[in-house]
Amino acid sequence: DGGITQSPKYLFRKEGQNVTLSCEQNLNHDAMYWYRQDPGQGLRLIYYSQIVNDFQKGDIAEGYSVSREKKESFPLTVTSAQKNPTAFYLCASSIHSNQPQHFGDGTRLSIL
Amino acid sequence: DAKTTQPNSMESNEEEPVHLPCNHSTISGTDYIHWYRQLPSQGPEYVIHGLTSNVNNRMASLAIAEDRKSSTLILHRATLRDAAVYYCILSPPWSGGGADGLTFGKGTHLIIQP
C-alpha cells in the first residue's frame, strides 16, 4: 500500500546532540512537509519542499534543517540549536502544494 | 492569512448525526475549505474539502454557506471511531508557485458518547 512512513516512532535526544527524523513516501508526491505539534496545540510548519532539491522555511525553522535529495525522502534534523525540541513531529506529502496532504504517524521526540 | 474559528469541543451520541461548525468570515474568493481530523497519537487524516458547492464523500459531507463565511462538516452517523480533533483550514488553490503548508488551529475536540 502507498503511504508515508516515519521512523522512529519514539526518539530520545541528549543535550547538545543532533538527531535526524526519517520520512519516506511512496505516493509519488512532489510536495513534502514537516510539522511540529506541542501538547493540546495545532500543527506548526517547520519546513516544506515543493520539488526535489528545493525546500523553504516554514513558521518555526530555527534550530532545524532538512534535505530533499530524492523525491521520496525528506529527513528532518533537529540540531542542538533547537532549545525546546520535545514535541510530536509529523511529516506529510501532497501531489502538489496546497492539495490535500497525507500524514505519517509521527515521531515523538524527548530530551534525556 | 484568513483564519477560522471553531468551538473547542462538542459532544454527540453514537449513531446520531454530528454537525461541526466553522466560521471563516475573512475567507478570500479563491480559498478552499479543508477539513482534517486527528486521532490521539496519530497524524491528521484528510476528510474533505470544497470551494463553493456542497461536497460529499464516503467519510462526510461539507456544507458551505452561500456567502462562504462559514461551513459545516457533517458526519451522518457518528461512531466511537469518529472521536477525534477536527480541524477546519483555509488554503489557497495550487498556483504552481510558492505556497506554505497548512495552518492548523486548535480544532474541535469531538466526544462521542456510547
Side-chain angles (χ1 to χ4, degrees), chain A residues 9 33 35 37 40-43 45 48 50 57 59 88 90 96-106 108, chain B residues 34 36 38 41-46 49 87 91-106:
Chain A
K9 192 172 179 66
Y33 313 81
Y35 294 89
Q37 186 174 34
Q41 304 297 313
L43 282 66
L45 183 67
Y48 65 99
Q50 295 180 45
K57 291 182 178 180
D59 300 321
F88 189 41
L90 289 155
H96 301 297
S97 57
N98 291 333
Q99 295 297 300
Q101 294 183 12
H102 297 252
F103 284 82
D105 285 335
R108 198 168 295 279
Chain B
H34 289 245
Y36 286 77
Q38 186 177 21
S41 297
Q42 293 186 24
E45 175 188 27
Y46 165 77
H49 77 289
Y87 299 98
S91 178
W94 179 59
S95 62
D100 295 335
L102 300 172
T103 300
F104 285 75
K106 292 185 179 181

Side-chain angles (χ1 to χ4, degrees), chain A residues 77-91:
Chain A
T77 296
V78 184
T79 75
S80 57
Q82 173 49 244
K83 297 306 178 190
N84 184 23
T86 297
F88 189 41
Y89 289 87
L90 289 155
C91 179

